[in-house]
Amino acid sequence: MKHILVVDLVETNLKCAVEILRDKYKVTTSRTEINVLEILKDEIPDLILVDINMPGRKPDYALRWKQNQKELAHIPVILQSTVMNEEMEKNALN
């Protein structure tokens, strides 16, 4: 079974993601970047789905996890947000 790591500060968003994905995927959730780093030490997901609007974080923080660890380089990251504008998109991709 494929494994998806969902990162979001909002518990309701995490619960919705689990509800939608759990029949077809193993789903691990995290509300903090520190917890994500702990999860990635033990498990390598097939996909990381991450909210780019976590307080105190630049939009590219999820991509930096991959740069710091070679074993994560192949993992696709989907950046998501409930609020998105052109500037945020540009920042996330740079």
Side-chain angles (χ1 to χ4, degrees):
M1 182 176 280
K2 296 284 186 179
H3 180 198
I4 299 176
L5 172 58
V6 182
V7 184
D8 198 306
L9 184 64
V10 180
E11 187 68 29
T12 302
N13 294 347
L14 294 174
K15 287 179 181 179
C16 287
V18 169
E19 184 67 28
I20 292 166
L21 299 169
R22 71 178 178 193
D23 289 341
K24 294 187 179 184
Y25 304 96
K26 174 183 175 184
V27 181
T28 303
T29 62
S30 175
R31 293 183 67 198
T32 68
E33 183 176 7
I34 294 169
N35 191 35
V36 167
L37 297 174
E38 289 300 314
I39 291 167
L40 292 174
K41 287 180 186 177
D42 297 328
E43 297 184 74
I44 304 296
D46 297 292
L47 173 70
I48 300 173
L49 177 61
V50 61
D51 179 9
I52 64 169
N53 288 322
M54 303 260 302
R57 298 287 173 222
K58 292 183 178 181
D60 68 343
Y61 75 94
L63 302 177
R64 282 185 277 124
W65 297 328
K66 292 175 51 163
Q67 292 173 347
N68 294 331
Q69 299 181 37
K70 285 185 179 181
E71 62 272 14
L72 304 179
H74 71 283
I75 302 171
V77 175
I78 296 176
L79 303 175
Q80 53 126 15
S81 174
T82 56
V83 178
M84 187 64 110
N85 59 43
E86 190 174 327
E87 183 179 338
M88 288 175 64
E89 268 184 64
K90 287 178 185 176
N91 289 339
L93 298 174
N94 290 328

